[in-house]
Each structure stands twice: as C-alpha cells, then as structure tokens.
Amino acid sequence: MTDTVLIFDTTLRDGEQSPGCSMNLEEKLRVAAQLETLGVDIIEAGFAIASEGDFEAIVAVARQCERATVASLARAAIPDIDRAWEAVQHARAPRIHSFIATSPLHMKVKLAMEPDAVLERIRQTISHARNICPDVEWSAEDATRSDRDFLARAIEIAIDSGARTINLPDTVGYATPEDYAAMFREMIERVPNSDKAVFSTHCHNDLGLAVANSLAAVAAGARQVESTINGIGERAGNAAVEEIAMAIKVRRDALRVATNVVSTEITRSSRLVSGITGFAVQPNKAIVGANAFAHESGIHQDGMLKDSSTYEIMTPESVGLTRSSLVMGKHSGRAAFKEKLKELGYELGDNAFQDAFVRFKALADAKKAVFDEDIVALVDDEVLRGHDNIQVRDVEIHCGTKGPQRAILTLAIDGAEKTVTATGNGPVDALFKAIRELVPHDKGTLQRYEVHAVTGGTDAQAEVSVVLSEDGRSVRGTGAHQDTLVASARAYVNALNKLTVKRGRAPLRVAEAG
C-alpha cells in the first residue's frame, strides 16, 4: 500500500503575506475553487483575527468548498481561536490551526515567556480549540531552532490536548534536508503519543531548500506538506505545491508515497495565481516555468526528436500544459469562443461572457494571431477586474524624441468619467502623473514597474505589473493590452483600487506560523 501525503495549501494565507500580494474576496474564491479542482486536501483560507476582510474571506471560502478541509490560522490565544472557529465553522470540514513559538530565541525575544508558561499555554489553547472544533492542528513556530527535549514535550502536550496534526515548520528557512529529516524522525520516535497525530512540514525557501527539506521530512515519516502555488510567500517564499506533487509522482519509486493532486490542473492553477497576484513565474521555474519543457540545445533537440524521454522525465500534458495553437481569430464565433474558454478553465456568466467576447473580437482585429495566453490575459484583465471602482476608459499618448511627452487620460471613478492632460519625462511618467491628478494619493510610492510580452511577435499583448506602497502597505497591480501604455495604465489603476481597499481595512500585523 502506498501512503498518501496530504497537501495543505496556504496560498491564501502565507502566500498572500508576500509583500505586494493582496487578493480581494472574489479573487480568493476563484483561487479556492481552483485549489479544490487541483485536489489539495486542506485550504488555509486566512488568519481570521487579522482583519475583518480576512474573516469574511475565510467564511466565504468555508461556505464555498465542497470537498477540501478549510483552516484558519490562530495564535495560541483564546480570542484568536474563537475567531477562527467563527469563520471555519461554516465549512464541511473545518480546522483550527494554532501556533506558538518554541525556540529559545523566539520565546525570550518575541513572546517574553518562560518555557513552562509556553507549555501551559499550549495545553490551555489546544484543549479549548479541540472542545469547539473536531480537527485541530498545532504548529511549533521556529521548530528547527528549538531545543529537541523541549520540542518533544511540547508535541506530547499538544497531542494529549487534542491536536491531531503536528506541524514542525522551518520558519526561517534555516534547515538542511538532513537536519529536517532527523528532527521528524526523532520526534516521531521519542514522543510517546506520536502515533495519534499526522506530522506536517512547512518550509520556507530562504536557502532554496524548501522543497528538498519537505521531501526529506516525508521520507522520515511526515504525511502532510504545507505549501503554496508557485512557491509564493514571506521573504523567499514557501515550498511549491507543484514541485512537491510532481516530485512525489515522478519519483514514487524512491519516495513510496502519493498525493491526491490532479496533476493536469497544475499549469492552470499556476497561471491563475500568477495572474491574480501579478507575481510572474520565472522562465526557468520547475514544472510551470515557460522553459520547463523547452529545448534549445542541438543535442537535446536531437534526443527529443528520437524519444522525448531522453530529456523529459514527465510530459507537458501531465501538468496540464497545452501548446499554444492558432485556432482563434476574427472570424471565430461565440460558440467557438465559449468552447475555448471552457478548455482554458473559465466558466463565465452571460454578461461576463458577452463582455469577454466583445473584447476578444477587438483583440482579434488588432492582432493577426490570437493564442491561448492572449485569451487568458484578456479574460483575467478585462472581465474579472470589471467591478473596480476606478477603471481606465481612454488613453491617448503623444511621445517621441521631441518632448515633453503628453498623456490624455480618461478614468471612470465611481461611475463618473473624468479626463485630464499631463506631461512628463517620458510617456509612462506622463501617464502615471495623469492618474495621480485624477486620483490624488500623495503618500503612494511607485516601487516597481515591469513589462513582459504575453506571447511572441511585435503585436503581442503586453502584461504590466506595478507595485505601489503607502504607509507601509504594498500592493501589486497588473494589466494587459496590445498597447503597452494602456496596459500600464490598467496595472497602475488596478493597484490603486487594491490600495483603496487596504486603506479601509488595515490588517493586524502578526507573526507568521511558518
């Protein structure tokens, strides 16, 4: 019999803690729906006590999910745990995930608590959580820098108090695979009631070892892996769901375990999260990068022509990658477009579909070739951001070697259209100054501006990503259009909409569980 490793996805919690990565409620629900389709076992939907927005999102995800367990993070405090239960109680399978630091450094500096007091806090809070929720997970924050004797005592108390999942996170990405595996092996052997709990990993990627550490722990007996789509998360990120799932699938001979992940949904999941967060996937990223199945070397190409297994240990189709094909154009009708959307994983309501079709026809008139990636960018950008309070209506740019460059911009702000003309040191500068004139945000700072082409060719759509910061809050906006400057305006305005939302619900800054 092959053991099953549970996949605990924390894209909506730890992933959203990435600087500049924020999702609104509609976006979180889309990600949660795709995570269920992907087959993850547990979805950590947020940190219920962090903000009203987080709480509402967890409630909505809990009500939506039909199969996956839905978890909320909670500090080792009764109010945190009660708030988490208020949010997840609506789920078919709710879970409370409580954590407290166990390393000497964290207990002294962050918690200002004596070790015995930490143990008593674990007993009190986990018992309370178990009394109100049938599924409780406990995490030892900074486990990899904890004293092993103390860690063993803490685990035993947590299990005795009702925790049935024990997470030993590498919170700061400090461990090596050998260290991490040894810790799991020791705790499973030493803790007398360890057989009553599933042991879990949560690895950060500060040294680039998150996936390696997670798999080493699995080999040592861990049967749950906490990870995120595309590896997003605090600092250098987390172990990536897609890398964990495919490593286990491809090397089942070595690891002798399996997951419930539907691998053909991996590419779709990656693209969805990338599009929503604006975090582009690096070309050489394992499994989902643009170059993951590309071969340029003559030797490699020769081998591929003879037998693809010479240089590919998995097929593109196994991760849901479909090659771009020129099947859509200006003569394509509604039925064909609807079928293409279905193939790409989109199910739109009538109004959204009509809106998307009109924009598709406009794109097809402007471009000679419409690829799958073009349609994905169009739908994500045009339709699914259609409820923003601020929207780009018209962009006109005058630029060239003779300055100053000039932008004439029309925005719809709460339904009312306003137009302004601004000049600047280049067309982008003029455009962004025009936005600032229409929507003043003096404290807002543009931290990053990135452009890349969706597909090849001079008529390719541009995808633009910007990061805005204000009073310590950072948001990332994205925009797509065949005109780079229109895409730039949409990206900036998208970020501005998110910044407006964040002004209304500044989240509580709390320590991370992993």
Side-chain angles (χ1 to χ4, degrees):
M1 294 287 290
T2 300
D3 283 349
T4 297
V5 172
L6 302 175
I7 298 298
F8 177 114
D9 185 278
T10 184
T11 301
L12 297 178
R13 200 278 299 172
D14 204 335
E16 205 202 12
Q17 289 179 200
S18 305
C21 173
S22 60
M23 304 179 220
N24 60 34
L25 178 58
E26 180 184 1
E27 290 168 341
K28 287 185 176 182
L29 289 174
R30 286 176 59 209
V31 171
Q34 180 57 34
L35 291 175
E36 279 216 290
T37 303
L38 179 63
V40 305
D41 303 281
I42 303 101
I43 297 173
E44 188 168 52
F47 203 152
I49 207 168
S51 72
E52 188 61 30
D54 260 28
F55 176 82
E56 291 171 357
I58 297 167
V59 171
V61 170
R63 286 176 169 156
Q64 172 181 280
C65 286
E66 299 177 352
R67 179 194 53 79
T69 295
V70 177
S72 171
L73 191 64
R75 293 170 297 191
I78 300 302
D80 276 49
I81 289 169
D82 287 343
R83 190 63 167 163
W85 174 243
E86 285 182 56
V88 299
Q89 64 178 320
H90 306 281
R92 182 197 63 81
R95 175 181 291 191
I96 293 175
H97 178 197
S98 180
F99 73 97
I100 193 169
T102 55
S103 70
L105 176 64
H106 278 226
M107 287 190 290
K108 179 181 178 180
V109 175
K110 191 180 77 171
L111 299 179
M113 292 176 67
E114 293 296 322
D116 285 346
V118 170
L119 295 178
E120 183 58 27
R121 180 71 66 83
I122 294 169
R123 189 188 313 278
Q124 291 174 352
T125 54
I126 295 302
S127 295
H128 179 73
R130 182 62 184 83
N131 284 336
I132 58 177
C133 182
D135 185 356
V136 177
E137 175 175 343
W138 176 72
S139 285
E141 186 180 10
D142 206 22
T144 52
R145 296 191 295 178
S146 298
D147 175 80
R148 296 290 175 85
D149 290 336
F150 180 77
L151 184 60
R153 290 172 61 200
I155 293 170
E156 183 178 0
I157 289 171
I159 296 174
D160 187 57
S161 301
R164 289 299 172 260
T165 302
I166 299 296
N167 182 41
L168 304 180
D170 185 21
T171 302
V172 293
Y174 177 74
T176 65
E178 293 80 7
D179 293 338
Y180 202 53
M183 178 181 67
F184 275 85
R185 198 172 294 112
E186 181 181 348
M187 292 303 107
I188 291 171
E189 291 175 356
R190 282 186 58 178
V191 176
N193 53 2
S194 65
D195 60 319
K196 296 180 180 179
V198 172
F199 279 74
S200 174
T201 77
H202 183 120
C203 296
H204 280 264
N205 207 37
D206 299 71
L207 294 176
L209 296 172
V211 170
N213 285 339
S214 300
L215 294 175
V218 167
R223 288 299 178 265
Q224 177 179 288
V225 174
E226 304 191 4
S227 45
T228 61
I229 301 297
N230 297 335
I232 64 173
E234 291 273 10
R235 302 184 313 278
N238 292 264
V241 171
E242 61 276 6
E243 295 178 26
I244 296 293
M246 291 309 293
I248 287 175
K249 180 174 182 176
V250 173
R251 293 310 313 273
R252 185 174 295 185
D253 59 319
L255 294 167
R256 301 185 183 280
V257 293
T259 73
N260 293 318
V261 168
V262 181
S263 67
T264 51
E265 292 292 330
I266 283 176
T267 295
R268 185 173 297 164
S269 303
S270 171
R271 288 176 175 173
L272 175 65
V273 171
S274 177
I276 285 176
T277 62
F279 280 35
V281 176
Q282 67 193 62
N284 61 324
K285 167 77 167 63
I287 315 298
V288 292
N291 294 344
F293 296 95
H295 305 272
E296 185 169 331
S297 163
I299 296 174
H300 286 214
Q301 290 174 343
D302 180 66
M304 286 292 296
L305 290 171
K306 294 173 179 175
D307 185 340
S308 63
S309 65
T310 54
Y311 287 102
E312 285 186 351
I313 58 174
M314 54 194 156
T315 66
E317 292 77 15
S318 70
V319 298
L321 182 64
T322 57
R323 302 296 188 186
S324 290
S325 55
L326 185 58
V327 294
M328 300 297 294
K330 64 181 181 180
H331 298 298
S332 298
R334 282 177 168 79
F337 184 63
K338 181 171 286 189
E339 186 62 28
K340 172 56 70 175
L341 289 179
K342 184 177 179 182
E343 177 187 320
L344 294 173
Y346 294 105
E347 293 185 11
L348 304 180
D350 290 341
N351 291 337
F353 172 77
Q354 294 301 330
D355 193 15
F357 183 71
V358 169
R359 286 167 167 77
F360 160 71
K361 295 294 277 189
L363 178 64
D365 282 336
K367 285 195 66 178
K368 295 178 181 178
V370 179
F371 295 93
D372 290 356
E373 292 89 342
D374 291 314
I375 296 174
V376 169
L378 179 149
V379 174
D380 284 343
D381 184 70
E382 297 278 7
V383 178
L384 298 170
R385 301 192 194 284
H387 301 295
D388 286 344
N389 291 330
I390 310 167
Q391 296 186 21
V392 177
R393 285 287 186 258
D394 189 63
V395 176
E396 184 178 338
I397 302 293
H398 298 265
C399 60
T401 55
K402 295 180 180 180
Q405 285 70 37
R406 181 161 50 99
I408 304 172
L409 175 69
T410 300
L411 296 181
I413 304 172
D414 292 328
E417 291 193 359
K418 297 182 179 181
T419 302
V420 72
T421 299
T423 59
N425 185 22
V428 174
D429 185 46
L431 181 60
F432 288 179
K433 282 182 177 178
I435 295 173
R436 284 178 175 274
E437 284 192 36
L438 289 175
V439 187
H441 50 288
D442 295 338
K443 294 182 179 180
T445 302
L446 179 64
Q447 290 187 320
R448 189 174 303 168
Y449 171 75
E450 299 173 342
V451 181
H452 76 274
V454 174
T455 58
T458 57
D459 63 350
Q461 283 194 97
E463 274 193 338
V464 175
S465 174
V466 303
V467 175
L468 287 179
S469 69
E470 180 184 77
D471 295 331
R473 297 185 290 266
S474 293
V475 294
R476 182 182 296 263
T478 60
H481 196 269
Q482 61 266 28
D483 187 307
T484 303
L485 292 167
V486 175
S488 298
R490 291 180 173 181
Y492 196 106
V493 166
N494 178 235
L496 203 53
N497 277 292
K498 291 182 178 181
L499 198 59
T500 302
V501 171
K502 282 211 168 188
R503 285 173 184 161
R505 59 172 187 89
L508 175 68
R509 295 300 296 171
V510 288
E512 58 182 304

